[in-house]
Amino acid sequence: MNEINEVGNENVYRVEGFSCINCAGKFERNVKELPGVQDAKVNFGASKISVIGETTVEDLEKAGAFENLTIIPEKVAGQSAKVSNELKKEPKISFIKKHEELLFSALLIALGYTSTFLNGEDNLVTVLLFLSAIVIGGYSLFKVGIQNLFRLDFDMKTLMTVAIIGAAFIGEWAEGAVVVILFAISEALERYSMDRARNSIRSLMDIAPNEALIRRNGHEMLIDVESIAIGDIMIVKPGQKIAMDGVVVKGGSSVNQATITGESVPVSKSTNDEVFAGTLNEEGLLEVKVTKLVKDTTIAKIINLVEEAQAERAPSQAFIDKFAKYYTPIIMVIAALVAVIPPIFFDGSWESWLYQGLSVLVVGCPCALVISTPISIVSAIGNAAKKGVLIKGGIYLEEMGGLKAIAFDKTGTLTRGVPVVTDFEVVNNQVSKNEVLSIVASLEKRSGHPLASAITKKADELGIAYDLNVENFESITGKGIKGSINGTTYYVGSPNLFKEFTDIYSIKAKVAEIQSEGKTIMIVGTKTDILGFIAVADEVRDSSKVVIEKLHDLGIKKTVMLTGDNDLAARAIGAQVGVSEIQSELLPEDKLNSIKQLRSEYGRVAMVGDGVNDTPALAASTVGIAMGGAGTDTALETADVALMADDLEKLPFTIKLSRKALTIIKTNIAFAIGIKLLALLLVVPGWLTLWIAILSDMGATLLVSLNSMRLMIVKE
């Protein structure tokens, strides 16, 4: 672990031991000041730090010495399984060993109270027992707090240090010692809560096996996943987890893909089907050709993106961070005023009001406030990831809860995206059906349009060859395609394409009839003659209608279907699924304009698509949501939210989770501030004590943490 980064390179390290978000910020600042470090960024939610420049693990641990941080290099970017193993190899420290100073301090406090009962509170033995408890239990606190005080760096440890030293100064030895213990317990609660939230995501690291059975040169061998190369044949027995992404080359089985897609129903897999690392082979023996390196597998990308998502600060967290920056100095000023104004101007007791001022410092400790948002965000993102929804940042989690309108791409989103040919007619007697289909399939073979596969599949079924030589092939955006075969230029496209250069009156009635049935019609011909037409239908998903109903029930004001399909076909599909508005015959720029218009009307708008097409519309929306992120790199990279399964039913759950998170965050902030204000009001009659102050802070931290962790168990 003594490796050095090359200058300018970025390296990522796992950090063990963060107790609070302020400590993470201090560690980041310390690392930035290290010689050779150009920049550094801490991801508190994932407990990681990214460092650009030259440094060593020893230097990083020195920068984190104030918190006794442990640094572990993440040697393979995106490969969290290896990091998980390194973490497991770290020696497990027992609870007693980890908190022995705290336990010894508690014992001294108990002896101090015994001495108070026997000898009185001003007895030298009593004072020394409480003083020893303060020094031993608060050593790490004072070490940081006093340094911060000299640097005028006012954080919660500075507040507590001043309060405890002040309590000792006015002779409140017992209360000073108890404050040390209770603050340590509060920090432990905060650390425990954040670790629980992190573990909801870190458990993903253990999903994929670290070894796999590989066949090379006729020999089978069990090797580490990092040594597996693309093209290797992986043998997966029944009941085993699949270690790498790949394609089945032999065998058949059912595979449980819940870890990737959130769907518990196993999926049948056979030759040429894709399988993912971390999924469970339930029945048959599979031979899988590896298609991705371990760092590029879908599960590795999910873990990496989820951890990156925790570094993206939500608006509420940005507010809290800014608020806390000014909050602590203000509390110190208020505490000073409480301590000096009554004695100077109202003849109050110096000892009494100094005690009240110290209590204000303690009650002003912002633990509950600063932890309220991070735990909520990490808990919600972790829960979503386990259910097959990848949310790429706290900002998108919050935005999902405020959506007023949702736009859907039609093909592959509201429909299955697997079109089939339903009608095929030739209207020119000079050519046969087979000739026309051969021409169309030869052209469509060169097209990337989703409907092209339906036509080539139809030709395959009928045994018609479509290997004609096509020259000057061209895609006509939003309208169709053209190409020359044996010197003749043929067009395949929408009726609107042919209206530009010929009359389609002879088939107008038939076109209208087919379109009214929700089918897409493509005319085949030249600039002067229409040869025939082909109708293709895309089946509506079973879940689409139910999902749209659920969204309306959740209060989504408008659902819009955006499609390049003809108006009649679009309306037929739209009526089946129940969207509130249908916009048809749209070019990509038209969809972009539609999203802009929706945003001007409703503010927050989501666009749901396949993550590949309609990229401008996805980018222009408040939240871009991609369907079927599993195995689709583009969907994982371009979308703000990815539904890993090719299933819309995760959408209502995501909105519900987001709204729950927003409610909990707001409740936490209100409660954390409210409990402080309530405790501060006790200053007026002089009732605020150090006991009440620290208990209110610890209680608020505990309740805020428990409230946030409820997001880990929100169900679909």
Side-chain angles (χ1 to χ4, degrees):
M1 291 189 185
N2 216 2
E3 298 169 50
I4 298 177
N5 303 339
E6 294 178 20
V7 177
N9 281 0
E10 180 177 3
N11 214 345
V12 180
Y13 300 85
R14 299 274 170 178
V15 184
E16 290 288 295
F18 279 144
S19 63
C20 65
I21 196 166
N22 283 336
C23 303
K26 182 179 177 66
F27 177 56
E28 182 180 283
R29 292 193 296 274
N30 289 351
V31 172
K32 286 180 178 179
E33 292 172 2
L34 290 174
V37 173
Q38 298 166 17
D39 196 13
K41 185 177 181 182
V42 166
N43 180 340
F44 178 64
S47 203
K48 295 164 68 173
I49 184 168
S50 300
V51 181
I52 297 176
E54 181 182 345
T55 187
T56 64
V57 169
E58 283 77 8
D59 286 340
L60 291 173
E61 290 190 338
K62 285 178 184 176
F66 68 94
E67 189 82 339
N68 292 321
L69 300 179
T70 300
I71 311 299
I72 302 169
E74 188 170 71
K75 296 178 182 178
V76 183
Q79 174 44 24
S80 300
K82 181 172 182 178
V83 177
S84 181
N85 287 338
E86 290 200 48
L87 291 175
K88 289 174 184 175
K89 290 174 186 175
E90 291 295 308
K92 298 295 181 183
I93 303 173
S94 69
F95 177 84
I96 292 176
K97 181 71 176 174
K98 196 172 184 179
H99 298 91
E100 57 186 12
E101 296 92 350
L102 190 59
L103 294 172
F104 190 42
S105 181
L107 176 62
L108 289 171
I109 289 174
L111 292 173
Y113 275 107
T114 303
S115 180
T116 301
F117 178 74
L118 296 174
N119 306 315
E121 61 182 24
D122 295 327
N123 180 269
L124 181 61
V125 174
T126 303
V127 172
L128 287 175
L129 285 169
F130 284 128
L131 176 60
S132 300
I134 289 172
V135 172
I136 293 170
Y139 174 75
S140 59
L141 166 66
F142 299 145
K143 184 179 176 182
V144 178
I146 292 172
Q147 285 179 353
N148 289 350
L149 198 57
F150 283 116
R151 295 173 184 169
L152 299 180
D153 182 6
F154 302 118
D155 64 5
M156 61 184 74
K157 290 191 175 182
T158 313
L159 293 181
M160 298 305 296
T161 298
V162 172
I164 294 165
I165 292 174
F169 179 76
I170 63 174
E172 296 290 344
W173 300 102
E175 291 200 30
V178 171
V179 166
V180 166
I181 289 289
L182 292 179
F183 179 72
I185 293 171
S186 180
E187 272 200 322
L189 284 172
E190 190 177 332
R191 186 185 287 112
Y192 171 77
S193 303
M194 200 66 206
D195 284 344
R196 278 290 302 274
R198 286 191 189 111
N199 287 339
S200 71
I201 293 169
R202 191 170 286 173
S203 61
L204 292 171
M205 296 178 187
D206 300 323
I207 286 174
N210 298 317
E211 295 179 319
L213 186 62
I214 297 294
R215 182 187 295 126
R216 283 182 184 169
N217 303 320
H219 299 285
E220 294 182 4
M221 60 191 84
L222 191 66
I223 64 173
D224 191 282
V225 290
E226 292 172 40
S227 302
I228 297 175
I230 293 173
D232 277 341
I233 301 299
M234 177 173 59
I235 299 168
V236 189
K237 298 175 182 178
Q240 288 185 338
K241 281 188 175 181
I242 298 170
M244 304 286 286
D245 284 11
V247 175
V248 177
V249 292
K250 187 177 180 182
S253 182
S254 59
V255 175
N256 189 324
Q257 300 188 145
T259 52
I260 301 291
T261 66
E263 292 179 311
S264 57
V265 178
V267 179
S268 178
K269 299 288 184 179
S270 57
T271 305
N272 295 326
D273 286 338
E274 190 174 18
V275 293
F276 307 111
T279 57
L280 178 65
N281 178 26
E282 294 196 336
E283 295 173 355
L285 182 72
L286 292 176
E287 292 190 13
V288 178
K289 183 178 180 180
V290 175
T291 56
K292 293 180 181 178
L293 296 174
V294 66
K295 65 186 177 68
D296 298 321
T297 60
T298 300
I299 188 64
K301 287 191 174 183
I302 290 172
I303 294 167
N304 188 50
L305 288 168
V306 168
E307 290 190 329
E308 285 179 4
Q310 297 170 61
E312 296 295 325
R313 296 190 173 186
S316 58
Q317 189 170 344
F319 162 75
I320 290 299
D321 291 347
K322 190 173 182 180
F323 179 81
K325 182 180 178 181
Y326 301 102
Y327 170 83
T328 306
I330 289 171
I331 284 293
M332 295 196 75
V333 171
I334 292 173
L337 293 175
V338 167
V340 301
I341 287 178
I344 292 175
F345 296 103
F346 302 102
D347 199 27
S349 164
W350 276 102
E351 183 176 342
S352 175
W353 285 103
L354 183 57
Y355 179 83
Q356 291 290 305
L358 295 174
S359 298
V360 169
L361 283 181
V362 175
V363 83
C365 187
C367 294
L369 190 61
V370 297
I371 203 68
S372 60
T373 303
I375 294 184
S376 300
I377 297 296
V378 173
S379 297
I381 289 176
N383 185 9
K386 286 186 173 182
K387 290 181 171 60
V389 180
L390 179 59
I391 302 172
K392 293 173 69 174
I395 185 170
Y396 305 118
L397 178 70
E398 290 197 10
E399 295 286 12
M400 285 290 291
L403 292 177
K404 302 297 181 187
I406 302 179
F408 297 87
D409 183 31
K410 177 179 76 72
T411 305
T413 302
L414 293 172
T415 62
R416 294 187 183 279
V418 185
V420 294
V421 173
T422 58
D423 301 83
F424 175 36
E425 290 187 23
V426 173
V427 297
N428 188 319
N429 295 328
Q430 296 179 358
V431 290
S432 68
K433 263 192 168 187
N434 288 0
E435 286 178 288
V436 173
L437 187 56
S438 179
I439 291 169
V440 176
S442 296
L443 289 167
E444 291 289 2
K445 185 173 69 170
R446 290 159 176 80
S447 168
H449 195 279
L451 301 182
S453 60
I455 294 170
T456 54
K457 186 177 179 181
K458 183 69 173 178
D460 288 334
E461 289 174 359
L462 298 176
I464 296 171
Y466 48 94
D467 53 358
L468 300 177
N469 183 39
V470 178
E471 297 177 337
N472 303 319
F473 177 83
E474 184 181 334
S475 176
I476 306 168
T477 305
K479 295 178 181 178
I481 56 176
K482 71 174 183 177
S484 297
I485 298 174
N486 296 328
T488 303
T489 301
Y490 293 96
Y491 293 81
V492 180
S494 67
N496 288 339
L497 172 63
F498 281 83
K499 285 178 184 176
E500 294 178 7
F501 43 75
T502 189
D503 184 13
I504 63 167
Y505 180 79
S506 60
I507 60 169
K508 189 174 182 180
K510 191 66 177 177
V511 167
E513 178 188 340
I514 290 173
Q515 288 179 335
S516 68
E517 295 172 358
K519 301 172 183 176
T520 300
I521 191 166
M522 292 178 283
I523 299 176
V524 188
T526 65
K527 275 198 172 183
T528 56
D529 294 304
I530 293 175
L531 302 180
F533 60 83
I534 296 177
V536 177
D538 187 6
E539 191 177 1
V540 173
R541 291 178 186 270
D542 296 333
S543 61
S544 293
K545 183 177 177 61
V546 175
V547 168
I548 298 297
E549 288 175 353
K550 284 183 178 179
L551 292 175
H552 289 156
D553 291 342
L554 284 169
I556 300 297
K557 294 182 178 179
K558 178 171 276 192
T559 52
V560 185
M561 185 178 79
L562 306 179
T563 179
D565 213 341
N566 69 81
D567 189 58
L568 287 173
R571 291 191 179 281
I573 298 293
Q576 287 184 60
V577 300
V579 291
S580 49
E581 185 178 322
I582 299 153
Q583 295 184 25
S584 57
E585 300 180 6
L586 301 178
L587 297 173
E589 57 265 34
D590 298 326
K591 292 185 179 182
L592 173 60
N593 292 331
S594 294
I595 293 294
K596 288 180 178 178
Q597 179 61 34
L598 285 169
R599 288 199 69 169
S600 68
E601 290 180 34
Y602 295 96
R604 292 176 177 173
V605 177
M607 172 71 187
V608 187
D610 60 8
V612 181
N613 300 322
D614 307 315
T615 303
L618 285 165
S621 61
T622 311
V623 182
I625 303 171
M627 290 281 291
T632 309
D633 291 346
T634 310
L636 289 176
E637 291 165 9
T638 61
D640 303 319
V641 175
L643 308 181
M644 300 306 293
D646 197 23
D647 183 7
L648 268 180
E649 291 190 88
K650 302 289 182 183
L651 186 55
F653 159 73
T654 308
I655 292 174
K656 184 173 78 170
L657 178 66
S658 173
R659 290 180 178 177
K660 185 87 171 175
L662 279 172
T663 300
I664 284 177
I665 289 169
K666 289 175 182 176
T667 303
N668 284 348
I669 293 171
F671 178 74
I673 294 175
I675 201 77
K676 303 292 183 190
L677 293 175
L678 185 62
L680 288 173
L681 287 175
L682 296 178
V683 171
V684 178
W687 294 346
L688 183 62
T689 67
L690 287 172
W691 280 79
I692 293 174
I694 193 66
L695 283 172
S696 69
D697 179 70
M698 186 174 70
T701 301
L702 177 61
L703 291 173
V704 161
S705 300
L706 291 174
N707 194 36
S708 298
M709 286 192 287
R710 289 166 52 213
L711 290 165
M712 295 165 62
I713 56 173
V714 174
K715 296 179 180 179
E716 294 182 52

